[in-house]
Amino acid sequence: MSATAITTFLRLRPSKHGASYFTADGSSPSNVEVDVPDTEAAGFINNKRTHWKFAFDGVLDQRATQDEVFERVAEPVVDSVLEGFNGTIFAYGQTGSGKTFTLTGGVNAYAERGIIPRTLSALFARIQANTEAECTVRVAYLEIYNENGFDLLDPRQAAAAGNHSRLAPSGLAELARVSGVVEEEDGSVRLKGLSSHTVASEEAALNLLFVGDTNRAVAETSMNAVSSRSHCVSTIAVESR
């Protein structure tokens, strides 16, 4: 499989009740079957489809560790970036499905680090090991909330303390630092108003990641007490000479 190809992975979140509609296909580890029992439609005749089968490039079951997720999903992207290819990791799922945990990690243990902090660690380790090149690393952290763009690393973002929904419209407008897309003469694209910060070490990059996560919009939902109520894009730019 080429590291520059578009690949899809499914991560199954552990179930509190020990039962799940999802079952991995033992004959093909990249396939998943979904069965919705007829009993879920008690009280009326259910003629809807109850069985589906999906194929992925890889399936990470409930026992998969954060380290395994990084090795299978993100490490090939890190390697390709250092070879000069752009890479993107996109997490998709409903609220409470574990997107934030997969990307940024948990707070209970070091082993719970997610894809982004592990990527920073791997990136700086490879840069330090390569004595033939000089690299500059820049990070940016964009939040999209209610169709507005916010620079999570801007000091004014801390005024929201993650509680965007409690701000008056005027206060929210003051935080909307990212105002549009600008195409440069060389064909590159940048977001107007989004800051980019040069970091010389893994520690400095992780500190900015922590600042950005602290400034994210968070609110309670029926499925998640601290749901991330926004979309976020963490960008790591590497310039090698």
Side-chain angles (χ1 to χ4, degrees):
M1 183 187 305
S2 173
T4 59
I6 296 176
T7 55
T8 57
F9 291 85
L10 174 68
R11 186 178 193 183
L12 299 176
R13 177 174 177 170
S15 172
K16 293 181 180 179
H17 305 291
S20 175
Y21 297 154
F22 294 87
T23 57
D25 186 345
S27 61
S28 179
S30 296
N31 291 340
V32 168
E33 296 187 15
V34 181
D35 286 290
V36 180
D38 293 336
T39 54
E40 293 295 318
F44 58 91
I45 298 176
N46 180 12
N47 291 321
K48 294 182 179 180
R49 184 179 178 183
T50 60
H51 179 80
W52 293 265
K53 188 173 183 178
F54 302 97
F56 300 88
D57 293 293
V59 175
L60 299 153
D61 64 20
Q62 294 93 334
R63 297 166 296 178
T65 63
Q66 294 282 71
D67 188 45
E68 182 181 353
V69 172
F70 171 76
E71 289 180 356
R72 295 188 61 185
V73 177
E75 196 163 29
V77 179
V78 175
D79 293 335
S80 66
V81 165
L82 291 175
E83 293 175 357
F85 297 95
N86 292 334
T88 300
I89 299 173
F90 181 81
Y92 177 83
Q94 73 177 60
T95 182
S97 60
K99 301 183 298 297
T100 300
F101 179 79
T102 296
L103 287 179
T104 61
V107 296
N108 296 322
Y110 183 75
E112 290 185 355
R113 292 175 301 148
I115 283 177
I116 298 176
R118 289 175 184 271
T119 294
L120 291 169
S121 296
L123 184 63
F124 278 100
R126 285 162 170 74
I127 289 175
Q128 292 174 2
N130 184 6
T131 58
E132 298 180 355
E134 179 182 349
C135 294
T136 300
V137 180
R138 297 181 179 87
V139 298
Y141 213 171
L142 168 71
E143 176 183 46
I144 302 173
Y145 178 79
N146 282 354
E147 300 184 6
N148 289 308
F150 299 90
D151 183 357
L152 288 175
L153 301 181
D154 189 289
R156 283 174 286 185
Q157 189 69 16
N163 297 318
H164 300 57
S165 59
R166 300 180 185 178
L167 292 178
S170 59
L172 195 63
E174 292 179 1
L175 296 175
R177 297 273 298 150
V178 181
S179 55
V181 179
V182 178
E183 184 174 355
E184 303 289 2
E185 294 182 358
D186 60 359
S188 62
V189 175
R190 68 178 178 88
L191 296 175
K192 187 177 181 180
L194 181 65
S195 63
S196 179
H197 302 256
T198 301
V199 288
S201 65
E202 175 189 348
E203 182 181 5
L206 290 175
N207 285 338
L208 288 179
L209 177 64
F210 175 78
V211 170
D213 286 339
T214 302
N215 291 336
R216 281 195 69 175
V218 176
E220 181 178 1
T221 69
S222 58
M223 298 186 68
N224 190 349
V226 288
S227 175
S228 302
R229 306 304 299 154
S230 63
H231 302 288
C232 278
V233 181
S234 175
T235 302
I236 306 169
V238 182
E239 179 182 332
S240 180
R241 295 174 296 279

